[in-house]
Amino acid sequence: MTGPITRSLRLSAVRKDAATLSAVESIGGRRVFKFKASDGDFDRYSDRLNVKGWRVDGYNANGVVLYNHDDGASAAMTGAEPQLPIGKGRVYVEGDALMVDIEFDDEDEFAKKVERKVSKGILNAVSVRYLMLPGQYRQNERGGYDCDAQELLEVSVVTIPGNSRAVRSKSLDEAPDDLVERIATRVVELLDARAEAKSTDEDVEDESKSTDEEDVEDESKSTDEEDVEDEQKGEPDEDEDETKGFNAADAAKSFVEAFKGYIRGVKE
């Protein structure tokens, strides 16, 4: 039976990068950074990890975030001051990836330095240290391992990730504050312009009718036709019903909130 395996550059951890990073404001004004910590594709060790196979309960019970996987072990041997955790994390599976939300310790000077570099895009990646569970992995065609189940041990902000897809994507918070509002304002302008153009076209069409044409049209109407027309006027116009109550500004506001929620991945 195969035993457990841990992986790293020093044979202790596997480094999987953050293919996506975004900063969001959470409850209470705390800054929480969202990373993609792992996916199901090959990493630099030629390993593939089943995204649905992550065991994360143990980590979430004590969600420490380290820097470059420094857990203090080397300091214990050298007598140096150990590096303490720089924040706390919460991991979860979302779609085809393992995600982690990280909140840095704002009372720790080193943690604040790391957070500033993350905010500036100087540091973009996180890495996970995990344990391949016995009987749940096998060697693949690239010489690495395909793993069906693995236990997450810790998450680190790192300088060099173990996955070549170490790419940071800009978050909505890093765009101009009024970006979405300006988009919505432009939508309102286009809607208003379209409505005004339609109204102008209808006015021109009405004015083009001559008085003689109107008289002829009136004379040509029989009593029966007038009755039919009156009955038709009494029937509601479906198109008008659909547009009643539509407010472009309200629609734009709803669009802003929905768009922000989509970009940030905020769940109701």
Side-chain angles (χ1 to χ4, degrees), residues 159-197:
T159 51
I160 303 174
N163 189 302
S164 60
R165 296 171 301 281
V167 179
R168 179 183 178 182
S169 64
K170 293 292 183 179
S171 73
L172 185 62
D173 295 285
E174 295 172 301
D177 292 337
D178 62 343
L179 173 62
V180 180
E181 284 78 2
R182 286 193 284 111
I183 294 174
T185 299
R186 182 55 180 157
V187 171
V188 172
E189 291 174 351
L190 292 173
L191 289 172
D192 288 342
R194 186 174 66 177
E196 184 178 350

PDB file of all heavy atoms in Angstrom, residues 159-197:
ATOM      1  N   THR A 159       6.776  34.014  -3.222  1.00  0.00           N
ATOM      2  CA  THR A 159       7.443  34.778  -4.274  1.00  0.00           C
ATOM      3  C   THR A 159       7.525  33.988  -5.569  1.00  0.00           C
ATOM      4  O   THR A 159       7.420  34.556  -6.657  1.00  0.00           O
ATOM      5  CB  THR A 159       8.865  35.159  -3.816  1.00  0.00           C
ATOM      6  OG1 THR A 159       9.534  33.973  -3.359  1.00  0.00           O
ATOM      7  CG2 THR A 159       8.807  36.167  -2.679  1.00  0.00           C
ATOM      8  N   ILE A 160       7.740  32.662  -5.467  1.00  0.00           N
ATOM      9  CA  ILE A 160       7.838  31.807  -6.655  1.00  0.00           C
ATOM     10  C   ILE A 160       6.877  30.636  -6.480  1.00  0.00           C
ATOM     11  O   ILE A 160       7.104  29.755  -5.652  1.00  0.00           O
ATOM     12  CB  ILE A 160       9.267  31.266  -6.851  1.00  0.00           C
ATOM     13  CG1 ILE A 160      10.255  32.429  -6.955  1.00  0.00           C
ATOM     14  CG2 ILE A 160       9.342  30.394  -8.110  1.00  0.00           C
ATOM     15  CD1 ILE A 160      11.705  31.988  -7.000  1.00  0.00           C
ATOM     16  N   PRO A 161       5.815  30.587  -7.249  1.00  0.00           N
ATOM     17  CA  PRO A 161       4.832  29.511  -7.107  1.00  0.00           C
ATOM     18  C   PRO A 161       5.271  28.242  -7.829  1.00  0.00           C
ATOM     19  O   PRO A 161       6.144  28.278  -8.692  1.00  0.00           O
ATOM     20  CB  PRO A 161       3.574  30.099  -7.758  1.00  0.00           C
ATOM     21  CG  PRO A 161       4.126  30.998  -8.816  1.00  0.00           C
ATOM     22  CD  PRO A 161       5.389  31.591  -8.237  1.00  0.00           C
ATOM     23  N   GLY A 162       4.648  27.137  -7.470  1.00  0.00           N
ATOM     24  CA  GLY A 162       4.967  25.868  -8.105  1.00  0.00           C
ATOM     25  C   GLY A 162       4.135  25.603  -9.339  1.00  0.00           C
ATOM     26  O   GLY A 162       4.213  24.535  -9.915  1.00  0.00           O
ATOM     27  N   ASN A 163       3.359  26.584  -9.755  1.00  0.00           N
ATOM     28  CA  ASN A 163       2.506  26.427 -10.930  1.00  0.00           C
ATOM     29  C   ASN A 163       2.820  27.544 -11.906  1.00  0.00           C
ATOM     30  O   ASN A 163       2.892  28.716 -11.512  1.00  0.00           O
ATOM     31  CB  ASN A 163       1.035  26.461 -10.500  1.00  0.00           C
ATOM     32  CG  ASN A 163       0.088  26.085 -11.620  1.00  0.00           C
ATOM     33  OD1 ASN A 163       0.082  26.714 -12.662  1.00  0.00           O
ATOM     34  ND2 ASN A 163      -0.717  25.070 -11.395  1.00  0.00           N
ATOM     35  N   SER A 164       3.008  27.211 -13.173  1.00  0.00           N
ATOM     36  CA  SER A 164       3.422  28.200 -14.170  1.00  0.00           C
ATOM     37  C   SER A 164       2.346  29.224 -14.484  1.00  0.00           C
ATOM     38  O   SER A 164       2.621  30.234 -15.134  1.00  0.00           O
ATOM     39  CB  SER A 164       3.830  27.494 -15.470  1.00  0.00           C
ATOM     40  OG  SER A 164       2.741  26.752 -16.002  1.00  0.00           O
ATOM     41  N   ARG A 165       1.101  28.970 -14.051  1.00  0.00           N
ATOM     42  CA  ARG A 165       0.014  29.908 -14.329  1.00  0.00           C
ATOM     43  C   ARG A 165      -0.134  30.928 -13.195  1.00  0.00           C
ATOM     44  O   ARG A 165      -1.240  31.207 -12.724  1.00  0.00           O
ATOM     45  CB  ARG A 165      -1.292  29.139 -14.544  1.00  0.00           C
ATOM     46  CG  ARG A 165      -1.253  28.236 -15.767  1.00  0.00           C
ATOM     47  CD  ARG A 165      -2.458  27.309 -15.846  1.00  0.00           C
ATOM     48  NE  ARG A 165      -2.563  26.441 -14.678  1.00  0.00           N
ATOM     49  CZ  ARG A 165      -1.827  25.342 -14.505  1.00  0.00           C
ATOM     50  NH1 ARG A 165      -0.923  25.004 -15.408  1.00  0.00           N
ATOM     51  NH2 ARG A 165      -1.974  24.595 -13.437  1.00  0.00           N
ATOM     52  N   ALA A 166       0.997  31.497 -12.787  1.00  0.00           N
ATOM     53  CA  ALA A 166       0.987  32.476 -11.693  1.00  0.00           C
ATOM     54  C   ALA A 166       0.653  33.851 -12.240  1.00  0.00           C
ATOM     55  O   ALA A 166       1.526  34.703 -12.423  1.00  0.00           O
ATOM     56  CB  ALA A 166       2.332  32.495 -10.989  1.00  0.00           C
ATOM     57  N   VAL A 167      -0.622  34.083 -12.497  1.00  0.00           N
ATOM     58  CA  VAL A 167      -1.063  35.328 -13.119  1.00  0.00           C
ATOM     59  C   VAL A 167      -2.101  35.999 -12.237  1.00  0.00           C
ATOM     60  O   VAL A 167      -3.046  35.362 -11.781  1.00  0.00           O
ATOM     61  CB  VAL A 167      -1.681  35.067 -14.511  1.00  0.00           C
ATOM     62  CG1 VAL A 167      -2.153  36.366 -15.135  1.00  0.00           C
ATOM     63  CG2 VAL A 167      -0.671  34.377 -15.404  1.00  0.00           C
ATOM     64  N   ARG A 168      -1.898  37.268 -12.014  1.00  0.00           N
ATOM     65  CA  ARG A 168      -2.868  38.014 -11.227  1.00  0.00           C
ATOM     66  C   ARG A 168      -3.802  38.775 -12.150  1.00  0.00           C
ATOM     67  O   ARG A 168      -3.382  39.396 -13.110  1.00  0.00           O
ATOM     68  CB  ARG A 168      -2.165  39.022 -10.311  1.00  0.00           C
ATOM     69  CG  ARG A 168      -3.154  39.831  -9.491  1.00  0.00           C
ATOM     70  CD  ARG A 168      -2.475  40.872  -8.632  1.00  0.00           C
ATOM     71  NE  ARG A 168      -3.469  41.638  -7.904  1.00  0.00           N
ATOM     72  CZ  ARG A 168      -3.190  42.642  -7.098  1.00  0.00           C
ATOM     73  NH1 ARG A 168      -1.937  43.011  -6.929  1.00  0.00           N
ATOM     74  NH2 ARG A 168      -4.147  43.285  -6.468  1.00  0.00           N
ATOM     75  N   SER A 169      -5.097  38.714 -11.845  1.00  0.00           N
ATOM     76  CA  SER A 169      -6.071  39.498 -12.606  1.00  0.00           C
ATOM     77  C   SER A 169      -6.503  40.676 -11.771  1.00  0.00           C
ATOM     78  O   SER A 169      -6.627  40.580 -10.555  1.00  0.00           O
ATOM     79  CB  SER A 169      -7.299  38.648 -12.960  1.00  0.00           C
ATOM     80  OG  SER A 169      -7.978  38.252 -11.792  1.00  0.00           O
ATOM     81  N   LYS A 170      -6.700  41.805 -12.433  1.00  0.00           N
ATOM     82  CA  LYS A 170      -7.105  43.019 -11.735  1.00  0.00           C
ATOM     83  C   LYS A 170      -8.494  42.845 -11.147  1.00  0.00           C
ATOM     84  O   LYS A 170      -9.396  42.316 -11.796  1.00  0.00           O
ATOM     85  CB  LYS A 170      -7.102  44.214 -12.685  1.00  0.00           C
ATOM     86  CG  LYS A 170      -5.714  44.600 -13.162  1.00  0.00           C
ATOM     87  CD  LYS A 170      -4.883  45.165 -12.026  1.00  0.00           C
ATOM     88  CE  LYS A 170      -3.522  45.627 -12.521  1.00  0.00           C
ATOM     89  NZ  LYS A 170      -2.698  46.190 -11.447  1.00  0.00           N
ATOM     90  N   SER A 171      -8.660  43.325  -9.933  1.00  0.00           N
ATOM     91  CA  SER A 171      -9.979  43.253  -9.301  1.00  0.00           C
ATOM     92  C   SER A 171     -10.768  44.502  -9.618  1.00  0.00           C
ATOM     93  O   SER A 171     -10.237  45.523 -10.048  1.00  0.00           O
ATOM     94  CB  SER A 171      -9.843  43.125  -7.783  1.00  0.00           C
ATOM     95  OG  SER A 171      -9.431  44.352  -7.225  1.00  0.00           O
ATOM     96  N   LEU A 172     -12.060  44.451  -9.368  1.00  0.00           N
ATOM     97  CA  LEU A 172     -12.918  45.604  -9.600  1.00  0.00           C
ATOM     98  C   LEU A 172     -12.506  46.760  -8.701  1.00  0.00           C
ATOM     99  O   LEU A 172     -12.606  47.917  -9.084  1.00  0.00           O
ATOM    100  CB  LEU A 172     -14.376  45.219  -9.316  1.00  0.00           C
ATOM    101  CG  LEU A 172     -15.428  46.295  -9.626  1.00  0.00           C
ATOM    102  CD1 LEU A 172     -15.413  46.637 -11.102  1.00  0.00           C
ATOM    103  CD2 LEU A 172     -16.803  45.827  -9.203  1.00  0.00           C
ATOM    104  N   ASP A 173     -12.005  46.451  -7.493  1.00  0.00           N
ATOM    105  CA  ASP A 173     -11.616  47.502  -6.566  1.00  0.00           C
ATOM    106  C   ASP A 173     -10.429  48.299  -7.071  1.00  0.00           C
ATOM    107  O   ASP A 173     -10.219  49.438  -6.656  1.00  0.00           O
ATOM    108  CB  ASP A 173     -11.260  46.903  -5.202  1.00  0.00           C
ATOM    109  CG  ASP A 173     -12.459  46.269  -4.536  1.00  0.00           C
ATOM    110  OD1 ASP A 173     -13.307  47.015  -4.033  1.00  0.00           O
ATOM    111  OD2 ASP A 173     -12.556  45.037  -4.538  1.00  0.00           O
ATOM    112  N   GLU A 174      -9.634  47.706  -7.973  1.00  0.00           N
ATOM    113  CA  GLU A 174      -8.457  48.405  -8.459  1.00  0.00           C
ATOM    114  C   GLU A 174      -8.788  49.256  -9.682  1.00  0.00           C
ATOM    115  O   GLU A 174      -7.966  50.037 -10.130  1.00  0.00           O
ATOM    116  CB  GLU A 174      -7.373  47.393  -8.803  1.00  0.00           C
ATOM    117  CG  GLU A 174      -6.870  46.651  -7.590  1.00  0.00           C
ATOM    118  CD  GLU A 174      -5.953  45.525  -7.965  1.00  0.00           C
ATOM    119  OE1 GLU A 174      -6.401  44.636  -8.699  1.00  0.00           O
ATOM    120  OE2 GLU A 174      -4.796  45.544  -7.534  1.00  0.00           O
ATOM    121  N   ALA A 175      -9.961  49.123 -10.211  1.00  0.00           N
ATOM    122  CA  ALA A 175     -10.408  49.967 -11.310  1.00  0.00           C
ATOM    123  C   ALA A 175     -10.902  51.285 -10.721  1.00  0.00           C
ATOM    124  O   ALA A 175     -11.107  51.399  -9.519  1.00  0.00           O
ATOM    125  CB  ALA A 175     -11.530  49.273 -12.074  1.00  0.00           C
ATOM    126  N   PRO A 176     -11.090  52.317 -11.562  1.00  0.00           N
ATOM    127  CA  PRO A 176     -11.639  53.567 -11.041  1.00  0.00           C
ATOM    128  C   PRO A 176     -12.938  53.314 -10.294  1.00  0.00           C
ATOM    129  O   PRO A 176     -13.755  52.483 -10.695  1.00  0.00           O
ATOM    130  CB  PRO A 176     -11.881  54.382 -12.330  1.00  0.00           C
ATOM    131  CG  PRO A 176     -10.896  53.834 -13.306  1.00  0.00           C
ATOM    132  CD  PRO A 176     -10.787  52.364 -12.991  1.00  0.00           C
ATOM    133  N   ASP A 177     -13.133  54.033  -9.186  1.00  0.00           N
ATOM    134  CA  ASP A 177     -14.293  53.802  -8.337  1.00  0.00           C
ATOM    135  C   ASP A 177     -15.606  53.950  -9.081  1.00  0.00           C
ATOM    136  O   ASP A 177     -16.593  53.295  -8.768  1.00  0.00           O
ATOM    137  CB  ASP A 177     -14.280  54.785  -7.153  1.00  0.00           C
ATOM    138  CG  ASP A 177     -13.129  54.492  -6.207  1.00  0.00           C
ATOM    139  OD1 ASP A 177     -12.647  53.340  -6.211  1.00  0.00           O
ATOM    140  OD2 ASP A 177     -12.715  55.411  -5.475  1.00  0.00           O
ATOM    141  N   ASP A 178     -15.613  54.831 -10.100  1.00  0.00           N
ATOM    142  CA  ASP A 178     -16.872  55.104 -10.776  1.00  0.00           C
ATOM    143  C   ASP A 178     -16.999  54.368 -12.104  1.00  0.00           C
ATOM    144  O   ASP A 178     -17.844  54.710 -12.929  1.00  0.00           O
ATOM    145  CB  ASP A 178     -17.013  56.610 -11.037  1.00  0.00           C
ATOM    146  CG  ASP A 178     -15.923  57.147 -11.957  1.00  0.00           C
ATOM    147  OD1 ASP A 178     -14.897  56.449 -12.120  1.00  0.00           O
ATOM    148  OD2 ASP A 178     -16.099  58.242 -12.511  1.00  0.00           O
ATOM    149  N   LEU A 179     -16.175  53.328 -12.304  1.00  0.00           N
ATOM    150  CA  LEU A 179     -16.180  52.634 -13.595  1.00  0.00           C
ATOM    151  C   LEU A 179     -17.552  52.079 -13.936  1.00  0.00           C
ATOM    152  O   LEU A 179     -18.106  52.363 -15.002  1.00  0.00           O
ATOM    153  CB  LEU A 179     -15.149  51.495 -13.570  1.00  0.00           C
ATOM    154  CG  LEU A 179     -15.164  50.574 -14.809  1.00  0.00           C
ATOM    155  CD1 LEU A 179     -14.827  51.363 -16.054  1.00  0.00           C
ATOM    156  CD2 LEU A 179     -14.191  49.421 -14.626  1.00  0.00           C
ATOM    157  N   VAL A 180     -18.124  51.282 -13.047  1.00  0.00           N
ATOM    158  CA  VAL A 180     -19.415  50.665 -13.335  1.00  0.00           C
ATOM    159  C   VAL A 180     -20.508  51.724 -13.420  1.00  0.00           C
ATOM    160  O   VAL A 180     -21.415  51.640 -14.261  1.00  0.00           O
ATOM    161  CB  VAL A 180     -19.758  49.617 -12.258  1.00  0.00           C
ATOM    162  CG1 VAL A 180     -21.102  48.980 -12.551  1.00  0.00           C
ATOM    163  CG2 VAL A 180     -18.684  48.545 -12.199  1.00  0.00           C
ATOM    164  N   GLU A 181     -20.422  52.748 -12.546  1.00  0.00           N
ATOM    165  CA  GLU A 181     -21.425  53.809 -12.583  1.00  0.00           C
ATOM    166  C   GLU A 181     -21.402  54.542 -13.921  1.00  0.00           C
ATOM    167  O   GLU A 181     -22.452  54.900 -14.463  1.00  0.00           O
ATOM    168  CB  GLU A 181     -21.187  54.800 -11.439  1.00  0.00           C
ATOM    169  CG  GLU A 181     -21.634  54.307 -10.074  1.00  0.00           C
ATOM    170  CD  GLU A 181     -20.664  53.317  -9.446  1.00  0.00           C
ATOM    171  OE1 GLU A 181     -19.613  53.055 -10.075  1.00  0.00           O
ATOM    172  OE2 GLU A 181     -20.953  52.805  -8.364  1.00  0.00           O
ATOM    173  N   ARG A 182     -20.184  54.751 -14.461  1.00  0.00           N
ATOM    174  CA  ARG A 182     -20.090  55.426 -15.761  1.00  0.00           C
ATOM    175  C   ARG A 182     -20.664  54.569 -16.877  1.00  0.00           C
ATOM    176  O   ARG A 182     -21.278  55.073 -17.809  1.00  0.00           O
ATOM    177  CB  ARG A 182     -18.629  55.777 -16.058  1.00  0.00           C
ATOM    178  CG  ARG A 182     -18.123  56.939 -15.224  1.00  0.00           C
ATOM    179  CD  ARG A 182     -16.803  57.490 -15.712  1.00  0.00           C
ATOM    180  NE  ARG A 182     -15.692  56.635 -15.348  1.00  0.00           N
ATOM    181  CZ  ARG A 182     -14.975  55.932 -16.200  1.00  0.00           C
ATOM    182  NH1 ARG A 182     -15.255  55.951 -17.480  1.00  0.00           N
ATOM    183  NH2 ARG A 182     -13.956  55.188 -15.789  1.00  0.00           N
ATOM    184  N   ILE A 183     -20.460  53.252 -16.774  1.00  0.00           N
ATOM    185  CA  ILE A 183     -21.065  52.352 -17.755  1.00  0.00           C
ATOM    186  C   ILE A 183     -22.584  52.455 -17.687  1.00  0.00           C
ATOM    187  O   ILE A 183     -23.268  52.560 -18.708  1.00  0.00           O
ATOM    188  CB  ILE A 183     -20.618  50.899 -17.505  1.00  0.00           C
ATOM    189  CG1 ILE A 183     -19.112  50.755 -17.754  1.00  0.00           C
ATOM    190  CG2 ILE A 183     -21.387  49.932 -18.395  1.00  0.00           C
ATOM    191  CD1 ILE A 183     -18.550  49.401 -17.392  1.00  0.00           C
ATOM    192  N   ALA A 184     -23.117  52.425 -16.460  1.00  0.00           N
ATOM    193  CA  ALA A 184     -24.566  52.493 -16.287  1.00  0.00           C
ATOM    194  C   ALA A 184     -25.122  53.830 -16.776  1.00  0.00           C
ATOM    195  O   ALA A 184     -26.193  53.881 -17.389  1.00  0.00           O
ATOM    196  CB  ALA A 184     -24.925  52.286 -14.811  1.00  0.00           C
ATOM    197  N   THR A 185     -24.396  54.919 -16.500  1.00  0.00           N
ATOM    198  CA  THR A 185     -24.834  56.238 -16.961  1.00  0.00           C
ATOM    199  C   THR A 185     -24.922  56.279 -18.475  1.00  0.00           C
ATOM    200  O   THR A 185     -25.862  56.836 -19.062  1.00  0.00           O
ATOM    201  CB  THR A 185     -23.866  57.330 -16.469  1.00  0.00           C
ATOM    202  OG1 THR A 185     -23.853  57.332 -15.039  1.00  0.00           O
ATOM    203  CG2 THR A 185     -24.300  58.708 -16.964  1.00  0.00           C
ATOM    204  N   ARG A 186     -23.946  55.661 -19.125  1.00  0.00           N
ATOM    205  CA  ARG A 186     -23.947  55.628 -20.594  1.00  0.00           C
ATOM    206  C   ARG A 186     -25.126  54.815 -21.107  1.00  0.00           C
ATOM    207  O   ARG A 186     -25.751  55.184 -22.117  1.00  0.00           O
ATOM    208  CB  ARG A 186     -22.626  55.031 -21.090  1.00  0.00           C
ATOM    209  CG  ARG A 186     -22.501  54.990 -22.616  1.00  0.00           C
ATOM    210  CD  ARG A 186     -22.705  56.355 -23.235  1.00  0.00           C
ATOM    211  NE  ARG A 186     -22.578  56.323 -24.670  1.00  0.00           N
ATOM    212  CZ  ARG A 186     -23.112  57.213 -25.493  1.00  0.00           C
ATOM    213  NH1 ARG A 186     -23.816  58.233 -24.997  1.00  0.00           N
ATOM    214  NH2 ARG A 186     -22.951  57.114 -26.797  1.00  0.00           N
ATOM    215  N   VAL A 187     -25.454  53.731 -20.403  1.00  0.00           N
ATOM    216  CA  VAL A 187     -26.618  52.932 -20.788  1.00  0.00           C
ATOM    217  C   VAL A 187     -27.884  53.771 -20.712  1.00  0.00           C
ATOM    218  O   VAL A 187     -28.740  53.741 -21.603  1.00  0.00           O
ATOM    219  CB  VAL A 187     -26.736  51.686 -19.880  1.00  0.00           C
ATOM    220  CG1 VAL A 187     -28.063  50.968 -20.126  1.00  0.00           C
ATOM    221  CG2 VAL A 187     -25.584  50.728 -20.139  1.00  0.00           C
ATOM    222  N   VAL A 188     -28.024  54.548 -19.629  1.00  0.00           N
ATOM    223  CA  VAL A 188     -29.200  55.417 -19.474  1.00  0.00           C
ATOM    224  C   VAL A 188     -29.267  56.434 -20.602  1.00  0.00           C
ATOM    225  O   VAL A 188     -30.337  56.694 -21.173  1.00  0.00           O
ATOM    226  CB  VAL A 188     -29.148  56.135 -18.110  1.00  0.00           C
ATOM    227  CG1 VAL A 188     -30.254  57.181 -18.023  1.00  0.00           C
ATOM    228  CG2 VAL A 188     -29.307  55.134 -16.977  1.00  0.00           C
ATOM    229  N   GLU A 189     -28.121  57.032 -20.943  1.00  0.00           N
ATOM    230  CA  GLU A 189     -28.090  58.024 -22.021  1.00  0.00           C
ATOM    231  C   GLU A 189     -28.554  57.414 -23.338  1.00  0.00           C
ATOM    232  O   GLU A 189     -29.313  58.035 -24.096  1.00  0.00           O
ATOM    233  CB  GLU A 189     -26.672  58.588 -22.166  1.00  0.00           C
ATOM    234  CG  GLU A 189     -26.241  59.451 -20.997  1.00  0.00           C
ATOM    235  CD  GLU A 189     -24.789  59.865 -21.110  1.00  0.00           C
ATOM    236  OE1 GLU A 189     -24.088  59.335 -22.010  1.00  0.00           O
ATOM    237  OE2 GLU A 189     -24.345  60.706 -20.303  1.00  0.00           O
ATOM    238  N   LEU A 190     -28.096  56.197 -23.627  1.00  0.00           N
ATOM    239  CA  LEU A 190     -28.481  55.537 -24.875  1.00  0.00           C
ATOM    240  C   LEU A 190     -29.973  55.214 -24.888  1.00  0.00           C
ATOM    241  O   LEU A 190     -30.653  55.375 -25.912  1.00  0.00           O
ATOM    242  CB  LEU A 190     -27.664  54.253 -25.067  1.00  0.00           C
ATOM    243  CG  LEU A 190     -26.167  54.446 -25.326  1.00  0.00           C
ATOM    244  CD1 LEU A 190     -25.448  53.104 -25.320  1.00  0.00           C
ATOM    245  CD2 LEU A 190     -25.941  55.171 -26.647  1.00  0.00           C
ATOM    246  N   LEU A 191     -30.498  54.769 -23.739  1.00  0.00           N
ATOM    247  CA  LEU A 191     -31.931  54.479 -23.647  1.00  0.00           C
ATOM    248  C   LEU A 191     -32.756  55.743 -23.845  1.00  0.00           C
ATOM    249  O   LEU A 191     -33.757  55.744 -24.561  1.00  0.00           O
ATOM    250  CB  LEU A 191     -32.255  53.839 -22.298  1.00  0.00           C
ATOM    251  CG  LEU A 191     -31.763  52.404 -22.086  1.00  0.00           C
ATOM    252  CD1 LEU A 191     -31.991  51.980 -20.642  1.00  0.00           C
ATOM    253  CD2 LEU A 191     -32.467  51.447 -23.037  1.00  0.00           C
ATOM    254  N   ASP A 192     -32.340  56.834 -23.206  1.00  0.00           N
ATOM    255  CA  ASP A 192     -33.065  58.102 -23.336  1.00  0.00           C
ATOM    256  C   ASP A 192     -32.999  58.620 -24.764  1.00  0.00           C
ATOM    257  O   ASP A 192     -33.985  59.140 -25.294  1.00  0.00           O
ATOM    258  CB  ASP A 192     -32.476  59.136 -22.373  1.00  0.00           C
ATOM    259  CG  ASP A 192     -32.820  58.826 -20.921  1.00  0.00           C
ATOM    260  OD1 ASP A 192     -33.770  58.038 -20.701  1.00  0.00           O
ATOM    261  OD2 ASP A 192     -32.158  59.379 -20.022  1.00  0.00           O
ATOM    262  N   ALA A 193     -31.808  58.482 -25.381  1.00  0.00           N
ATOM    263  CA  ALA A 193     -31.657  58.957 -26.759  1.00  0.00           C
ATOM    264  C   ALA A 193     -32.555  58.162 -27.705  1.00  0.00           C
ATOM    265  O   ALA A 193     -33.168  58.712 -28.618  1.00  0.00           O
ATOM    266  CB  ALA A 193     -30.198  58.845 -27.191  1.00  0.00           C
ATOM    267  N   ARG A 194     -32.635  56.852 -27.474  1.00  0.00           N
ATOM    268  CA  ARG A 194     -33.486  56.028 -28.317  1.00  0.00           C
ATOM    269  C   ARG A 194     -34.955  56.401 -28.148  1.00  0.00           C
ATOM    270  O   ARG A 194     -35.709  56.487 -29.126  1.00  0.00           O
ATOM    271  CB  ARG A 194     -33.289  54.553 -27.992  1.00  0.00           C
ATOM    272  CG  ARG A 194     -34.029  53.616 -28.937  1.00  0.00           C
ATOM    273  CD  ARG A 194     -33.695  52.171 -28.658  1.00  0.00           C
ATOM    274  NE  ARG A 194     -34.171  51.748 -27.357  1.00  0.00           N
ATOM    275  CZ  ARG A 194     -34.070  50.520 -26.892  1.00  0.00           C
ATOM    276  NH1 ARG A 194     -33.452  49.596 -27.621  1.00  0.00           N
ATOM    277  NH2 ARG A 194     -34.524  50.190 -25.711  1.00  0.00           N
ATOM    278  N   ALA A 195     -35.358  56.647 -26.910  1.00  0.00           N
ATOM    279  CA  ALA A 195     -36.747  57.030 -26.653  1.00  0.00           C
ATOM    280  C   ALA A 195     -37.072  58.372 -27.290  1.00  0.00           C
ATOM    281  O   ALA A 195     -38.138  58.573 -27.862  1.00  0.00           O
ATOM    282  CB  ALA A 195     -37.001  57.076 -25.147  1.00  0.00           C
ATOM    283  N   GLU A 196     -36.124  59.328 -27.217  1.00  0.00           N
ATOM    284  CA  GLU A 196     -36.338  60.649 -27.802  1.00  0.00           C
ATOM    285  C   GLU A 196     -36.419  60.570 -29.317  1.00  0.00           C
ATOM    286  O   GLU A 196     -37.258  61.226 -29.945  1.00  0.00           O
ATOM    287  CB  GLU A 196     -35.197  61.582 -27.383  1.00  0.00           C
ATOM    288  CG  GLU A 196     -35.382  63.012 -27.878  1.00  0.00           C
ATOM    289  CD  GLU A 196     -34.269  63.934 -27.407  1.00  0.00           C
ATOM    290  OE1 GLU A 196     -33.478  63.491 -26.552  1.00  0.00           O
ATOM    291  OE2 GLU A 196     -34.202  65.074 -27.898  1.00  0.00           O
ATOM    292  N   ALA A 197     -35.566  59.758 -29.919  1.00  0.00           N
ATOM    293  CA  ALA A 197     -35.590  59.602 -31.376  1.00  0.00           C
ATOM    294  C   ALA A 197     -36.912  58.989 -31.827  1.00  0.00           C
ATOM    295  O   ALA A 197     -37.481  59.398 -32.846  1.00  0.00           O
ATOM    296  CB  ALA A 197     -34.423  58.721 -31.816  1.00  0.00           C
TER     297      ALA A 197
END
